[in-house]
Amino acid sequence: MFMRVSTRILPAVVSVLYKSEDVPRKATPLSFKREQQPYYDLSVKIIRAKNIVGGDFLTEGDCYVSLRLPTASVVDYQTKTISNTNNPEWNETFNYRIQSTVKNVLELSLYDANVKGKKLLSSVAFDIGKIQLGHSLNTTIDLKDKEQLEVEFHLEKCNDPPNEILTNGVLVAQPCTCVETKVRNVNNAQMVGTGVNTQYNMSLKVDGAYEEEQVTTLKPISNPVWNENFVFHIDKSLDPKLKIDLIQTSTVLQDDMHVEMTKDTSIVGSGSEPLYQLPLGKNVAVTLPLGQEQSVDLKLKAKKCVEDLDVRLSFDLADPEKEFLVKRKKFVARALKKALQLKKTPKDIHVPVIAILGSGGGIRAMTSLYGALSGLQQMHLLDCVTYMVGVSGSTWCMSTLYQDTDWSRKDMKGPILHAKKQVTKAKTSVLSKDRLGYYINALVEKNRSGQSVTVTDLWGLIIESFLDWKENKIKLSDQQKAVRRGQNPFPIYASLNVKSDVSAKDFGEWFECTPYEAGLPKYGAYIPIQHFGSKFFMGYLIKKCPEIKVSFLAGLWGSAFAANLEEILREVIGTSNTWMQNLHDAIRVTDEHSQSTQLQMRTIIPARMLDTIVKNLFVSRLTAAETFNFLRGLFLHRMYEQNHNFMKGQTTHLDSSPNYLTPMANQLYLVDAGFSINSAFPLALRSQRRVDVILSFSFSRGSPFKVLKKTEEYCVEHDIPFPKIDVPDILEQSLQECYVFTDEKNPRIPTVIHFPLTNATFRNYKAPGVERTSEEEKYYGSFVLEAEQSPYSTLQFTYTANDFDRLVDLNCYNVMNNKDIILMVLKQAMARKR
């Protein structure tokens, strides 16, 4: 239904009021808990396949099966290849030790090993949770057409002692083991060949360890003695093995060129040593055979990493944010008393939580947010705000403001004048020789610190130049001073974690940065902001890198250019490219009646090679901000999909493929959150933040209600309370400045006051209730934001002074012209808190 709300300034402002059902949410523990969980022994027998269409028109298939269970083994197993038959029979058994707490999904992939190389015929994902303890399960899996794969599973108790784990109900962390490896000497080293100059290289590697392959060199070969130490951080539950290769390199000197050229490299010895049974805290001497009577003397010592995790596993707010909320309520209570002309200062429990959401939109969004904040400040409402959440261009405004620890308590004219100076200045200097030299040095320094460097980092430095931050060394943690006393709203900066080869429409996880933490609310996993970009493994900080400065983060938050070709076309065309669906692998659910706690078994039929090439061309993302994944080494809980805090997508979404979710990735790919929803509603709507009123500022071009409609879809999908958004087309054709969406009967649903970017009455009023009279005033107010030659294009980074002033004044006016609406909503919010 619709309701007209009259004010003394604006003749009629539309307020849209809707009702929605109050759906109870499941209660789920917010913090981690410590558990002792047993191991199980799993055997997988690959029996046979039938009716396989492999080979070519002259021959039958040469088939084998690959087994991948990344929660139990760091290596994939493989059957032998059965040649020239479409009905191969293997009868091979593979054994795993699995963890009972984690989600174990076995991938069985059928390959044809033809003369041109292996070809994937089909793949199936099987949830080990379907197998009953102490029982065997013989199953025939339907692949494509009439093809079948027969497999037998058996699950038994394991004699190994139980494993201690930490879990928040979605992620599982286990003890990390540090193995110190001392290579003492090689016995009976043998030389192969007759090279002039010969040296030994020794390669040490542990599959699945945090550390990469480590290589050491020694010349000459006689009695090679190393006495070198190496360290590997491992997950002992994955049956890791230390692999050592002794490599001989022979070189010959070419006199005519006076250079040394490599002639021959060969492995002259190899061996491996299991690590999962190493006792903790004891030195273990090992003589490892390398073949041909060669051996290497090792000293191994396994140590448990420090007990406390460095990754915070919890869906609750961080303690500093909770402390801020207590302090901020005092400021908000006093501000509400003044704004609403109350007789008494309201009690803390009656103080509503109000959040400002600024959308993306480049310099247009940054400039507009300055204007909106100025309007709120002039109405003495800025001190009523608890949170400020930004996307893309809005974060550029926020990150500038929070360099001043008391910015919201000072006149906004100062920051606006500074922004005007930068926005109206020519941008040619950003590509000057001096600036380019600075960019290169800054990127080299970041790389030397051990952090990833991408195109996004260069973009961040360019933004730094746009905003005249010069060589800004400010860190996000410096903003803690701006919220420590509760004196300003709490800032939250949004981005999106995506995959490098998947559209953000199909996979995107909200990522948030605050002055205290960075993290993924979907998994309930956070790290101190000082450690964002450092290297983690199994929940522990392994290598600490310097904190990333805000300049680089600004590029990450506003990296809209990281779009892939599919996303660009969808934005241009306005609809999804449905023909792209035909290029993806076909996925078929083969057991629709499985229990809710188990994944449905899915058969994957790979796309044709040409289709795959075309798909990769459209979905590959080359310019996302890559940073080390602090979830690496953590696993998903066996009940993760049933945990209400886990923001699961649709049934066919990657969220139902645990082996391919973020904990299994080495890198995070962070892009502009505008690829999902161009306003960070999902972060403001976290139930722990208990936001009562949202001041939504949409600075986007195009549909003024797009962010609301997309948010509504997101909330319906994830069972998040949100008012119904059902706006008739006629409202979009004749925009008002302010819309209110609420549910009067359900206090759990926040009220949204939405401000689209529109010039509705500003063209006729220079201030609320004050009409424009002179021609100059009328000209100043008469401009169209959506004009074809509009100066406010998203790709426009330089405004004239007049264009900047008009955009700031427009947004300031739109807020102030709806003061009565805002005050009415705040009064209602306080009443609902009672």
Side-chain angles (χ1 to χ4, degrees), residues 241-252:
K241 294 180 177 62
L242 172 65
K243 299 178 180 179
I244 293 182
D245 288 332
L246 197 60
I247 304 170
Q248 176 185 302
T249 301
S250 300
T251 59
V252 62

Side-chain angles (χ1 to χ4, degrees), residues 505 566 570 573 575-584:
K505 177 179 68 70
E566 182 194 9
R570 190 185 322 118
I573 298 172
T575 58
S576 299
N577 306 312
T578 53
W579 59 272
M580 282 283 294
Q581 300 300 320
N582 297 325
L583 304 180
H584 291 271

Side-chain angles (χ1 to χ4, degrees), residues 110 126 229 287 310 332 345 365 426 571 654 718 764 817:
L110 181 64
F126 186 88
N229 294 315
T287 297
D310 296 304
V332 175
T345 302
E571 190 65 27
L654 277 174
H718 296 103
N764 298 319
N817 197 38

Side-chain angles (χ1 to χ4, degrees), residues 777-798:
E777 291 174 346
K778 292 179 180 178
Y779 173 76
Y780 183 79
S782 298
F783 65 100
V784 180
L785 290 160
E786 296 286 347
E788 185 175 345
Q789 300 300 323
S790 171
Y792 303 118
S793 166
T794 304
L795 298 179
Q796 183 69 34
F797 294 96
T798 304

Side-chain angles (χ1 to χ4, degrees), residues 431-695:
L431 296 179
S432 66
K433 184 178 179 180
D434 289 343
R435 293 306 292 174
L436 289 175
Y438 163 65
Y439 299 157
I440 293 172
N441 290 335
L443 295 173
V444 170
E445 182 180 353
K446 187 172 187 281
N447 184 57
R448 285 176 178 170
S449 72
Q451 296 168 338
S452 300
V453 174
T454 65
V455 176
T456 303
D457 296 312
L458 175 59
W459 173 236
L461 295 173
I462 292 174
I463 293 173
E464 178 187 82
S465 298
F466 285 170
L467 304 180
D468 195 32
W469 287 348
K470 299 179 180 178
E471 295 186 19
N472 193 341
K473 296 183 179 181
I474 291 177
K475 313 294 194 301
L476 193 54
S477 62
D478 294 332
Q479 294 184 11
Q480 294 176 11
K481 300 174 184 177
V483 294
R484 192 164 290 155
R485 293 180 284 111
Q487 71 270 37
N488 299 301
F490 192 83
I492 303 173
Y493 301 87
S495 57
L496 201 68
N497 178 48
V498 297
K499 289 186 173 293
S500 61
D501 56 354
V502 177
S503 169
K505 177 179 68 70
D506 297 322
F507 183 85
E509 300 172 333
W510 284 87
F511 191 91
E512 66 176 46
C513 293
T514 76
Y516 294 99
E517 286 190 327
L520 288 153
K522 172 179 176 178
Y523 298 99
Y526 303 87
I527 56 174
I529 192 64
Q530 297 91 329
H531 297 160
F532 178 56
S534 295
K535 299 181 180 181
F536 289 77
F537 183 64
M538 298 182 67
Y540 296 93
L541 177 63
I542 304 298
K543 181 178 180 181
K544 183 178 179 181
C545 299
E547 183 180 352
I548 297 174
K549 62 181 185 177
V550 169
S551 300
F552 289 127
L553 294 176
L556 180 156
W557 298 327
S559 57
F561 64 93
N564 59 36
L565 188 54
E566 182 194 9
E567 290 161 345
I568 293 172
L569 286 178
R570 190 185 322 118
E571 190 65 27
V572 173
I573 298 172
T575 58
S576 299
N577 306 312
T578 53
W579 59 272
M580 282 283 294
Q581 300 300 320
N582 297 325
L583 304 180
H584 291 271
D585 296 340
I587 301 177
R588 186 176 65 199
V589 176
T590 54
D591 61 340
E592 299 180 355
H593 303 293
S594 61
Q595 299 178 18
S596 60
T597 59
Q598 300 168 355
L599 293 180
Q600 294 177 322
M601 189 162 60
R602 300 176 312 283
T603 300
I604 303 171
I605 303 169
R608 295 174 302 172
M609 182 178 296
L610 180 60
D611 290 344
T612 301
I613 293 173
V614 174
K615 182 197 72 172
N616 290 339
L617 175 65
F618 275 83
V619 301
S620 293
R621 194 185 309 278
L622 302 178
T623 54
E626 293 184 34
T627 188
F628 298 107
N629 181 13
F630 61 89
L631 299 188
R632 181 184 171 192
L634 302 177
F635 292 133
L636 288 162
H637 193 277
R638 61 187 176 86
M639 301 287 288
Y640 79 97
E641 284 195 295
Q642 281 67 53
N643 190 299
H644 187 73
N645 290 299
F646 182 75
M647 294 289 100
K648 182 179 181 294
Q650 300 172 354
T651 305
T652 57
H653 195 272
L654 277 174
D655 287 336
S656 294
S657 301
N659 292 351
Y660 296 91
L661 282 179
T662 300
M664 292 296 182
N666 291 329
Q667 302 281 334
L668 298 177
Y669 294 90
L670 299 174
V671 300
D672 192 317
F675 286 117
S676 178
I677 302 172
N678 201 28
S679 193
F681 277 93
L683 300 183
L685 291 171
R686 281 183 57 189
S687 60
Q688 299 80 22
R689 291 196 164 117
R690 300 177 181 177
V691 172
D692 300 292
V693 178
I694 295 176
L695 296 173

